[in-house]
């Protein structure tokens, strides 16, 4: 009787605990979702930045034309005249997710627009990600740490920066996929269940669909497996966790068109296969050791090792030869720049030109993970006591991600979940210790005076005959806890010698210290929350297509980009080609629906270099290049009037560099005066005559009479000039976007023919001009 | 055939036709006096004509014919005829609009469109009647030149007849043309032509025969916005929860002279009214009072250049398109607002009536194609619409939030809409209030079933094979777990009994009551015996179960330790009681039991550890 009651009590307690953590998780989900809505509240429900516009456009296509057309989509509105096979070159995870979400909602007759679904995909998935973090951390260190880690992840600024409402980018779903894959791996490792191993492969597939960062998983897990093998932690569970993942995962990964045979051909996946072989060898060794006597085993080992080493060397030699024969050693540029941080700046300026591929600065660590940076070491220590398979995995995870985030600021995103997990573990362990010691001491102080009375009453309460009755009548959970605490509190009261022992076991700290420590931890947490909310509200919510500035007369909105795109979309022919620097390619195709020459996909360096060359050439040469590309409009972004710093003049050096990388007649030194980039009167003539300069500063002097550039904080070098081959067709309200039209060639050619007729062909200049006309940059 | 020709040739043909026809006398009506006022101040041409109709024949006449040349009739957007009571200046029109319809009477010259006005009562011999005719034309002002640069002014051309075109004799007539306050490039100078400021007067002319026609052309500057909505879709969605949501999708174009060449923002910003005079940058919409949740956006997001102000009478929304609209430039945008239901929905004879304006709230906007879609709540029936002028009507269904069968939509289609069409129209339908509860109930049911499914799923054993080894193993494991749980409970109870023993010892030290202590000892002994009996079957089960193989040693250890602890405690107890009986000193007792005491503490510790360990399994 009593026993069953007590067991009821404990199951009730468990149920209560799980209901409580269920509600906490729901609240964490709500928190993760709502903290990302600042952008919608402060600005509007709109897609942000650059890449999200592309994803949005792909999603629109998907919802409109269906999945088969999506796979076969050849996009002729970008990379003109090459086009781009979207279905085969895009990570489809995000698009398919949002498309499915949209389809689901619409089939339930909830007619949300594709845009709305896209805007809110990221917040929804960050709620999922925090739940996945809970699961992962729970597998590592129990549910207390899990809840803490989930709460931390829900508002870690680094992740918020990539997943605010409207930031419809791959990372939004990929972080969830990453954490969930790790969770399933750990779960498989802990349970040894094939069911979870299969799920793990599917989660990995989803990750491969979502983001190029999947290579992080396929390298981190083999490393952990190797670590386990080396430290002698091999078990059948490890085998089950790893082998199916490699086989199924690779098969599934190669189903994704953008990965395809890369899943077996490139060096990024090499580690997984190597470890796959190793784990089989190890499994075989364990098996043989099981069936052989130790003596025989020794003999077998020496035999196998000598033969095996020879075979291995041969295989490795062949592999090395194959890999070394390819120029990039089988690594993609972005991966190589991870291994060698200086690689991109040396060889691929296009990767180096992206600000998010730069190494982060120290303040950006503080900005992005804030107090977690201090908690991580404590978490690592907590993971070592005791070190399990799971905790060794998270330690490895944090170490690797710290390295990667140090190379590329973008990969701070991978570090954030690891930091949250570690800090969650650290915080929850700390709270455990502190609250434990308070709970342990508090009754002492209260009871010191009246311990006898308490003892007497407690004896009555736990009298065996009474247990059954009280269990029925009283709240069982209370009874249970009180019993426990009583047990603990009684010992030190009665048995002075045992006190020290118990103390040692519980790591009891002095009461005052623990109260202060808890208070400080709370303060730390509060600081983190304040910082995260600030980051979400102020730093990371700007959609970047609409800018605001606060001045004494209120909020001022700069909506120039959309003004320009709307103008393009309504007032130009539908097949007109628009040339701009690649940053604005995605936005132009998505918002203005016009064909662009290059876009943010940057897959063809030569093409981008052509545009860069045109921008850095004099007007006539530029006209010829653009004309050869069928371009009708040229779009430049100019911040000099209002002081918008990330405009084309500031990006111009990259255009020169990228252009010069392919077309050697563009030399960076021609644009620099004594190594300085300047546009004032000291600027080089090449700089002052290049197209970008002219298009940006055309008639700029007439605005204030002295042509003061507010971004560069200087007066421009050449103030009065006319355009001969381009005409201004639109400039936005704050001059941030200026659109020029190429003048038609007809009249000019006629004039030239006339000129050559009248002046005969004796003049050599016209001949050289003619040659210039014929030169095609391709 | 005439349609394919240009406007100019058509005129020639038309004049020829007029000239060749001998004017047929349709009836004995004459127009004693005709006053025409043409308003050209905006892009919409409004011609107000006051006719004094006299019956000179003997038969009573019940209809009056109005004629327009086809080129005008094609652009005719709106035509009303009211009876002028004579008092005042025609403002207080008594009665309502007279019914007007297109007729094709015999003997009419071609390329004329004839409208017949039915008079309220027959016009007897010698009677006369004053009629006010308002005709509104769109697209009648032709920009000449057709393409201008940013700094040019926009000039438009207007053609009319100086004589009133009528199938009747006209005794006295006059025409005045009101132009905007700006330059007049040229106008046809006839006799009796006077120019007063911005107003040109022709006439009076007297005693003109039917179908007399005298073309005049006015070429003047007009910089008023030529805003034309190529298409406007107005969606009025009724929610019986208290809201009428109006969404208007505009597709706007500047229909004036096309802009050519460069657009320089600099010039436009420096002198907007010189370099950009023909452009318009803002539109004003007059929304109904109590409009709320107003938004203004296009397909790429919110447009931030708008302002809203209002009082209890009206709300005014001023919107600016994303860019200034030059000639030929297009844009699209959407405005939406909510209105309180009680202002627009009424109940009449068991039916509900929506009474809302037909046209756009924008001022001076011409709409080429207007679609008004009234979305009624799901479950409405008996739908009918009444509009004061002819429109195309059809019905469709729209599936919106959580609909099952979809909402009925009344679609009213009208082309060539001017602000005069902005009158109220009615949509009648039947709707039961119970239908309102459908969706909440549906949601409640949905969630209820979701939770029920969850509950069922949690409680039903869904394993397919009841004899599969994994299933059996699971069952066995559960059994093992319950056994271990019970075992732990028993051990816990043993420990509490031990505590009781300790407590009795403490009582002893305080009171010295040896007898009480002994009785406690006895009861504790009994209890422990019982407990150990209970323990036995559990232990044997655990030892036999293969599932528990890895726990069994721990459990055995636990029981062994616990037993040892009991024995030690008993020993200590007997020692203490002995000592008390022998009346030994406190120190002596301490000494004797100290060894026991240490062992007990250590054992207790171990038992606790083991318990915790097993608990975690």
């Amino acid at each position: 009787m009593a026993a069953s009651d007590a067991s009821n009590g404990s199951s009730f307690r468990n149920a209560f605990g799980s209901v409580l953590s269920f509600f906490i998780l729901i609240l964490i989900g709500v928190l993760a979702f709502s903290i990302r809505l600042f952008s919608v509240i402060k600005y509007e429900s709109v897609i942000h930045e650059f890449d999200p516009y592309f994803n949005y456009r792909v999603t629109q296509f998907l919802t409109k034309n269906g999945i088969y057309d999506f796979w076969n989509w050849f996009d002729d509105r970008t990379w003109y005249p090459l086009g781009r096979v979207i279905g085969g070159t895009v990570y489809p995870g995000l698009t398919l997710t949002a498309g499915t979400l949209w389809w689901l909602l619409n089939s339930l007759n909830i007619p949300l627009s594709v845009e709305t679904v896209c805007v809110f995909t990221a917040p929804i998935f960050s709620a999922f990600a925090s739940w996945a973090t809970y699961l992962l951390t729970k597998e590592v260190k129990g549910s207390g740490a899990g809840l803490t880690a989930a709460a931390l992840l829900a508002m870690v600024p680094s992740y918020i920066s990539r997943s605010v409402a409207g930031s419809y980018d791959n990372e939004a779903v990929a972080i969830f996929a990453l954490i969930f894959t790790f969770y399933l791996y750990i779960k498989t490792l802990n349970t040894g269940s094939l069911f979870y191993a299969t799920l793990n492969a599917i989660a990995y597939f989803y990750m491969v669909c979502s983001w190029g960062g999947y290579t992080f998983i396929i390298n981190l897990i083999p490393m952990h497996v190797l670590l386990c093998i080396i430290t002698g932690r091999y078990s059948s569970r490890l085998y089950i966790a790893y082998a199916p993942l490699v086989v199924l995962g690779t098969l599934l990964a190669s189903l994704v068109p953008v990965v395809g045979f890369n899943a077996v051909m490139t060096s990024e996946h090499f580690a997984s296969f190597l470890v796959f072989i190793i784990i089989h060898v190890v499994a075989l060794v364990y098996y043989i050791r099981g069936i052989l006597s130790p003596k025989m085993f020794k003999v077998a080992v020496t035999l196998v090792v000598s033969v095996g080493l020879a075979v291995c060397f041969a295989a490795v030699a062949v592999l090395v030869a194959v890999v070394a024969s390819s120029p990039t050693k089988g690594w993609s540029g972005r991966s190589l720049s991870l291994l060698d941080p200086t690689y991109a700046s040396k060889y691929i300026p296009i990767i180096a030109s992206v600000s998010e591929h730069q190494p982060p600065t120290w303040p950006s660590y503080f900005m992005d993970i804030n107090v977690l940076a201090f908690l991580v070491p404590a978490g690592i220590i907590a993971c070592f006591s005791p070190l399990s398979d799971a905790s060794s995995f998270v330690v490895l995870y944090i170490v690797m991600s710290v390295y990667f985030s140090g190379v590329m600021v973008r990969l701070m995103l991978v570090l954030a979940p690891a930091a949250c997990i570690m800090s969650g573990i650290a915080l929850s362990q700390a709270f455990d210790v502190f609250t434990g010691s308070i709970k342990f001491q508090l009754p002492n102080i209260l009871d010191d005076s009246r311990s006898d009375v308490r003892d007497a009453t407690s004896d009555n309460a736990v009298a065996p005959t009474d247990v059954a009755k009280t269990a029925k009548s009283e709240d069982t959970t209370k009874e249970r806890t009180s019993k426990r605490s009583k047990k603990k509190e009684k010992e030190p009261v009665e048995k002075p010698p045992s006190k020290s022992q118990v103390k040692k076991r519980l790591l009891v700290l002095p009461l005052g210290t623990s109260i202060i420590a808890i208070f400080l931890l709370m303060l730390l947490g509060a600081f983190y929350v304040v910082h995260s909310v600030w980051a979400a509200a102020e730093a990371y919510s700007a959609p970047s297509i609409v800018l605001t500035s606060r001045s004494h007369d209120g909020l001022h909105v700069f909506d120039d980009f959309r003004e320009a795109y709307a103008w393009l979309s309504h007032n130009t022919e539908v097949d007109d080609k628009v040339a701009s620097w690649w940053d604005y390619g995605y936005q132009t195709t998505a918002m203005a629906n016009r064909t662009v020459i290059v876009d943010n996909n940057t897959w063809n360096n030569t093409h981008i270099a052509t545009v860069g060359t045109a921008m850095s050439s004099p007007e006539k040469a530029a006209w010829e290049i653009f004309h050869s590309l069928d371009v009708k409009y040229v779009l430049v972004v100019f911040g000099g009037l209002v002081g918008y710093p990330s405009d084309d003049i500031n990006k111009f050096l990259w255009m020169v560099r990228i252009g010069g990388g392919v077309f050697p007649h563009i030399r960076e030194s021609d644009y620099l005066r004594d190594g300085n980039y300047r546009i004032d009167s000291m600027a080089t003539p090449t700089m002052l005559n290049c197209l970008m300069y002219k298009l940006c500063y055309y008639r700029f002097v007439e605005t204030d009479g002295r042509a003061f550039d507010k971004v560069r904080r200087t007066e421009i070098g050449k103030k009065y000039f006319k355009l001969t081959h381009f005409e201004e067709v639109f400039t936005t309200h704050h001059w941030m976007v200026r659109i020029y039209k190429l003048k038609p060639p007809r009249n000019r050619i006629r004039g030239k023919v006339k000129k050559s007729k009248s002046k005969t062909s004796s003049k050599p200049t016209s001949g050289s001009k003619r040659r210039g006309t014929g030169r095609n940059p391709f | 055939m005439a349609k394919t020709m240009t406007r100019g040739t058509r005129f020639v043909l038309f004049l020829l036709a007029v000239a060749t026809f001998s004017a047929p006398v349709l009836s004995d009506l004459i127009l004693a006096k005709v006053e025409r006022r043409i308003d050209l101040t905006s892009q919409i041409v409004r011609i107000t004509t006051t006719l004094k109709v006299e019956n000179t024949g003997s038969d009573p006449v019940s209809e009056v014919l109005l004629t327009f040349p086809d080129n005008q009739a094609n652009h005719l957007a709106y035509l009303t005829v009211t009876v002028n009571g004579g008092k005042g200046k025609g403002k207080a029109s008594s009665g309502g609009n007279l019914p007007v319809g297109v007729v094709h009477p015999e003997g009419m010259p071609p390329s004329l469109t004839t409208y017949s006005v039915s008079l309220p009562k027959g016009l007897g011999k010698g009677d006369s009647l004053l009629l006010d005719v308002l005709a509104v034309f769109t697209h009648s002002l032709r920009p000449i030149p057709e393409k201008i640069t940013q700094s040019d002014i926009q000039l438009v051309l207007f053609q009319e007849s100086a004589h009133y075109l009528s199938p009747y004799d006209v005794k006295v007539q006059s025409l005045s043309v009101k132009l905007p306050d700006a330059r007049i490039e040229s106008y046809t100078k006839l006799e009796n032509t006077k120019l007063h400021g911005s107003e040109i007067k022709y006439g009076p002319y007297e005693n003109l025969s039917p179908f007399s026609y005298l073309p005049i052309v006015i070429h003047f500057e007009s910089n008023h916005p030529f805003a034309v909505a190529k298409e406007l879709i107005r969606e009025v969605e009724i929610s019986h929860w208290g809201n009428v949501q109006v969404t208007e999708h505009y597709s706007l174009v500047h229909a004036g002279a096309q802009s050519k060449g460069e657009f320089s923002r600099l010039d436009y910003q420096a002198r907007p009214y010189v370099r950009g005079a023909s452009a318009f940058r803002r539109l004003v919409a007059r929304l109904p009072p109590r409009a709320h949740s107003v938004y203004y956006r296009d397909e790429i997001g919110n447009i931030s250049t708008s302002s809203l102000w209002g009082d209890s009478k009206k709300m005014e929304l001023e919107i600016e398109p994303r860019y200034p609209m030059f000639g030929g430039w297009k844009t699209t945008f959407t405005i939406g607002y909510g209105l309180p239901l009680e202002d627009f929905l009424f109940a009449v004879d068991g039916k509900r009536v929506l009474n809302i304006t037909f046209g756009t709230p924008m001022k001076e906007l011409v709409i080429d194609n207007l679609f008004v879609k009234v979305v009624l709540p799901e479950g409405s029936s008996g739908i009918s619409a009444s509009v004061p002028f002819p429109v195309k009507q059809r019905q469709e269904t729209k599936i919106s939030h959580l609909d099952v069968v979809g909402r009925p939509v009344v679609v009213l289609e009208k082309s060539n809409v001017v602000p005069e069409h902005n009158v109220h129209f009615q949509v009648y339908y039947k709707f039961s209030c119970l239908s309102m509860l459908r969706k909440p109930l549906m949601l409640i049911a949905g969630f209820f079933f979701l939770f029920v499914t969850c509950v069922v799923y949690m409680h039903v054993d869904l394993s397919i094979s009841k004899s599969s080894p994994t299933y059996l193993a699971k069952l066995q494991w559960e059994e093992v777990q319950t056994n271990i749980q019970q075992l732990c409970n028993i051990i816990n109870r043993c420990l509490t009994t031990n505590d009781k023993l300790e407590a009795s010892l403490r009582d002893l030290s305080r009171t010295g009551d040896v007898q009480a202590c002994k009785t406690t000892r006895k009861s504790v002994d009994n209890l422990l015996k019982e407990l150990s009996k209970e323990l036995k079957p559990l232990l044997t089960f655990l030892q036999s179960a293969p599932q528990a193989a890895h726990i069994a040693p721990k459990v055995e250890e636990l029981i062994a330790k616990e037993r040892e602890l009991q024995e030690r405690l008993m020993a200590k107890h007997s020692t203490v009681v002995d000592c008390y009986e022998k009346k030994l000193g406190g120190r002596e007792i301490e000494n004797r039991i100290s060894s026991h005491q240490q062992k007990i503490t250590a054992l207790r510790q171990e038992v606790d550890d083991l318990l915790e360990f097993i608990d975690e399994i």
Side-chain angles (χ1 to χ4, degrees), chain A residues 181-443:
Chain A
T181 312
F182 286 155
Y183 156 67
L184 285 169
Y185 171 69
I186 297 293
K187 183 84 185 172
T188 324
L189 202 56
N190 281 349
T191 57
S193 143
L194 256 182
F195 171 70
Y196 284 111
T198 320
L199 282 187
N200 189 19
I202 291 169
Y204 171 67
F205 173 57
Y206 184 65
M207 177 69 194
V208 176
C209 282
S210 306
W211 195 31
Y214 75 90
T215 45
F216 183 67
I217 295 183
I218 205 62
N219 284 304
L220 185 66
I221 290 180
M223 281 168 83
H224 178 244
V225 171
L226 205 60
L227 188 79
C228 284
I229 291 172
I230 289 169
T231 52
R233 288 169 164 271
Y234 172 81
S235 63
S236 57
R237 287 174 291 119
L238 186 69
Y239 183 86
I240 288 169
Y242 186 64
L245 173 69
V246 170
V247 177
L248 282 176
T250 306
L251 281 176
L252 288 170
S254 53
L255 292 180
V256 181
V258 64
V259 178
F261 276 105
N262 285 350
V264 287
M265 305 271 281
T266 59
S267 298
E268 278 99 342
H269 305 80
F270 179 66
S272 64
F273 299 118
L274 190 70
V275 173
F276 186 66
I277 296 169
I278 291 174
I279 199 172
H280 276 94
V281 170
V282 171
L284 188 71
V285 168
Y286 271 81
Y287 174 71
I288 291 172
R289 188 154 74 180
I291 56 172
L292 288 184
S293 64
K295 216 177 196 179
M296 284 286 285
F297 180 70
K298 250 178 198 168
V299 177
V301 164
T302 45
L303 204 104
V304 168
V305 161
S306 50
V307 175
L309 272 184
V311 174
C312 277
F313 270 121
V316 166
V318 169
L319 257 174
V320 166
V322 168
V323 169
S325 64
S326 82
T328 59
K329 317 261 186 311
W331 293 81
S332 71
R334 272 172 212 192
S335 313
L336 261 184
S337 63
L338 277 183
L339 298 180
D340 172 10
T342 57
Y343 178 82
S345 52
K346 269 190 281 187
Y347 301 106
I348 321 171
I350 225 164
I351 290 183
S353 77
V354 182
S355 61
E356 61 185 23
H357 292 163
Q358 310 289 341
T361 51
W362 283 114
S364 71
Y365 275 98
F366 187 73
M367 175 72 200
D368 275 358
I369 56 174
N370 201 243
V371 302
L372 305 188
F374 312 123
L375 288 170
V376 162
I380 294 176
I381 292 168
C383 280
F384 276 103
S385 57
L387 189 70
S388 63
D389 289 351
S391 63
S392 70
F393 177 77
V394 289
V395 170
L396 192 69
Y397 176 24
I398 185 102
V399 169
M400 294 313 294
S401 57
V402 164
Y403 169 72
F404 285 133
S405 70
V407 176
M408 239 187 227
V409 67
R410 185 155 97 127
L411 292 179
M412 196 77 94
L413 197 58
V414 178
L415 169 67
C420 288
I421 292 166
M422 281 303 176
S423 314
I425 291 171
L427 274 181
S428 115
Q429 296 271 326
F431 273 117
D432 248 14
V433 171
F434 295 141
T435 50
S437 37
I438 288 178
K439 200 159 85 180
F440 180 69
Q441 295 176 16
L442 209 51

Side-chain angles (χ1 to χ4, degrees), chain A residues 3 44 109 459 484 494 498 505 559 562-563 567 570-571 699 702 727-729 731-733 735, chain B residues 262-263 265-267 269 300-302 322 329-330 332 399-403 489 503 506 601 605 615:
Chain A
E44 56 179 288
N109 283 338
D459 279 349
R484 283 229 160 162
E494 292 165 26
S498 76
R505 188 172 64 95
D559 205 358
R562 285 191 296 188
E563 183 182 346
W567 185 86
H570 291 299
N571 296 307
R699 299 189 69 184
E702 294 170 52
E727 61 178 356
E728 183 186 10
V729 287
T731 297
T732 56
H733 189 248
W735 289 50
Chain B
E262 297 199 340
F263 162 68
R265 174 69 69 169
L266 180 76
D267 293 340
Q269 276 173 340
I300 54 174
N302 176 50
R322 286 194 186 274
W329 285 14
K330 299 178 198 116
T332 58
I399 295 191
S400 185
H401 292 277
L402 298 172
D403 285 342
N489 282 325
R506 249 177 292 130
T601 321
Q605 194 54 51
D615 243 4

Side-chain angles (χ1 to χ4, degrees), chain B residues 180-436:
Chain B
D181 283 323
R183 203 149 64 88
I184 298 164
E185 191 77 7
S186 69
Y187 61 95
T188 313
K189 291 193 177 72
L190 302 169
E191 47 181 324
N192 290 339
T193 307
K194 270 173 263 165
L195 177 65
H196 289 292
S198 62
E199 193 166 337
I200 305 171
K201 283 198 167 151
Y202 289 94
Y205 306 103
E206 289 175 6
N207 291 329
L208 291 175
S209 55
F211 299 112
S212 51
Y213 190 91
L214 186 61
I216 55 168
V217 174
I218 303 170
H219 196 194
F220 61 99
E221 178 185 343
S222 175
N223 284 324
H224 279 267
F226 273 50
V228 173
K230 286 277 164 210
E231 189 180 77
L232 167 61
I233 298 169
R234 265 190 111 215
E235 199 175 88
V236 181
E237 188 161 351
I238 300 167
S239 158
H240 277 261
W241 295 101
N243 192 33
V244 177
Q245 179 68 33
V246 183
T247 316
E248 298 172 351
H249 304 276
Y250 289 87
S251 159
L252 208 68
V253 68
H254 185 298
Q258 299 270 317
S259 155
K260 69 174 182 194
E262 297 199 340
F263 162 68
S264 166
R265 174 69 69 169
L266 180 76
D267 293 340
Y268 181 70
Q269 276 173 340
R271 289 175 292 171
Y273 297 104
V274 180
R275 305 297 181 95
S278 60
F280 67 88
R281 57 163 79 190
R282 58 173 59 82
L283 291 166
V284 178
R286 182 177 285 231
L287 305 182
R290 302 217 279 156
H292 59 89
S293 329
V294 182
Y295 67 84
Y296 168 46
R297 59 167 292 154
D298 64 3
E299 65 266 36
I300 54 174
N302 176 50
I303 307 172
S304 50
T305 46
S306 61
S307 55
L308 180 75
W309 65 90
D311 48 31
S312 59
K313 298 258 174 58
K314 63 175 195 302
M315 295 282 267
E316 282 209 347
L317 172 70
E318 182 185 307
I319 59 171
E320 275 181 46
R322 286 194 186 274
Y323 38 86
M325 296 289 288
F326 278 85
W329 285 14
K330 299 178 198 116
T331 191
T332 58
F333 59 86
T334 303
I335 60 174
Y337 45 92
L339 298 170
L341 186 74
E342 63 269 22
D343 292 3
F344 297 92
L345 196 74
F346 310 98
V348 172
D349 308 336
K351 276 195 157 192
R352 286 158 201 270
V353 188
L354 173 78
N355 187 32
I356 200 165
T357 52
F358 184 78
T360 167
M362 299 275 177
K363 289 176 181 168
E364 293 299 296
L365 180 70
V366 171
I367 304 158
D368 285 352
N369 287 300
L370 172 67
F371 297 88
V372 178
K373 299 183 175 178
V374 181
V375 183
L376 301 173
E378 194 177 21
S380 307
S381 59
I383 301 156
S384 64
S386 97
V387 189
F389 36 82
V391 289
K392 273 187 230 162
Q393 270 194 36
R394 64 171 194 276
Q395 277 201 18
E396 53 189 42
T397 48
K398 177 190 173 184
I399 295 191
S400 185
H401 292 277
L402 298 172
D403 285 342
V404 178
V405 293
R407 310 178 182 195
V409 182
V410 181
V411 183
L412 308 171
E413 193 182 337
K414 170 123 184 69
S415 59
N416 221 354
V417 180
V418 288
E420 274 76 7
H421 286 115
N422 207 356
V423 293
H424 284 80
F425 72 103
Q426 291 78 37
V427 176
Y428 300 88
Y429 64 96
K430 279 182 183 158
F431 180 74
S432 133
C433 278
L434 282 179
S435 308
M436 274 168 73

Side-chain angles (χ1 to χ4, degrees), chain A residues 534-770:
Chain A
W534 172 82
E538 300 293 332
Y540 292 134
S541 286
S544 96
I545 57 157
V546 47
L547 312 159
T548 54
S549 80
R550 253 171 230 288
S551 59
H552 53 275
D553 55 343
L555 193 73
H556 200 76
V557 180
F558 298 88
D559 205 358
D560 286 36
F561 288 106
R562 285 191 296 188
E563 183 182 346
Y565 294 132
W567 185 86
L568 272 178
S569 95
H570 291 299
N571 296 307
T572 58
E573 294 296 316
V574 78
D575 283 329
D576 285 346
K577 281 85 190 167
V578 180
S580 65
W581 190 235
W582 58 261
D583 293 29
Y584 312 104
Y586 278 163
Q587 292 185 348
T588 311
T589 39
M591 280 196 266
N593 191 24
R594 291 294 172 268
T595 309
V596 295
I597 306 300
V598 292
D599 68 21
N600 310 40
N601 182 242
T602 66
W603 65 274
N604 188 326
N605 193 27
T606 315
H607 218 51
I608 291 179
T610 309
V611 174
T613 306
M615 292 296 189
S616 33
S617 303
E619 210 186 327
K620 184 166 166 22
W623 187 91
E624 275 152 11
I625 294 172
F626 279 142
H627 189 65
S628 73
L629 286 170
D630 233 359
V631 168
K632 211 153 170 203
Y633 295 95
V634 181
L635 179 151
V636 293
V637 173
F638 170 63
L641 186 75
V642 289
Y644 170 63
S646 51
D647 64 349
D648 277 349
I649 292 286
N650 274 4
K651 289 173 185 164
F652 182 60
L653 267 196
W654 287 110
M655 302 185 204
V656 174
R657 266 174 219 156
I658 293 169
V662 178
F663 304 105
H665 68 276
I666 302 290
R667 282 187 300 275
E668 192 179 340
S669 55
D670 290 347
Y671 298 84
L672 302 175
R673 172 76 71 190
D674 306 327
N676 290 327
Y677 176 62
R678 52 201 310 171
I679 44 101
D680 55 7
S681 50
M682 293 292 288
T684 58
T686 325
M687 178 69 215
L688 294 181
N689 282 315
C690 72
L691 182 72
M692 181 52 77
Y693 179 87
K694 284 193 164 182
L695 296 190
C696 284
Y697 293 116
Y698 178 60
R699 299 189 69 184
F700 179 55
V701 66
E702 294 170 52
T703 52
D704 60 351
R706 59 192 195 106
F708 184 78
D709 186 321
K710 280 189 187 156
V711 176
R712 267 65 58 177
R713 308 211 147 274
T714 173
E715 281 183 32
I716 61 171
K718 191 173 164 185
K719 296 177 181 175
Y720 300 95
F721 54 87
K722 280 196 159 37
L723 292 175
T724 49
H725 296 79
F726 294 85
E727 61 178 356
E728 183 186 10
V729 287
F730 190 73
T731 297
T732 56
H733 189 248
H734 302 99
W735 289 50
M736 275 163 59
V737 184
R738 310 193 72 181
I739 301 171
Y740 292 85
K741 192 178 185 179
L742 272 75
K743 280 189 180 163
R746 189 160 37 84
N747 297 333
R748 213 171 48 77
I749 284 171
R750 199 186 292 153
K752 193 185 267 179
V753 169
K754 263 184 204 163
K755 206 193 280 172
S756 61
K757 263 182 194 168
S758 64
K759 292 183 179 174
T760 68
S761 59
S762 64
K763 279 226 166 184
T765 47
S766 75
S768 73
K769 266 181 193 166
R770 189 68 63 77

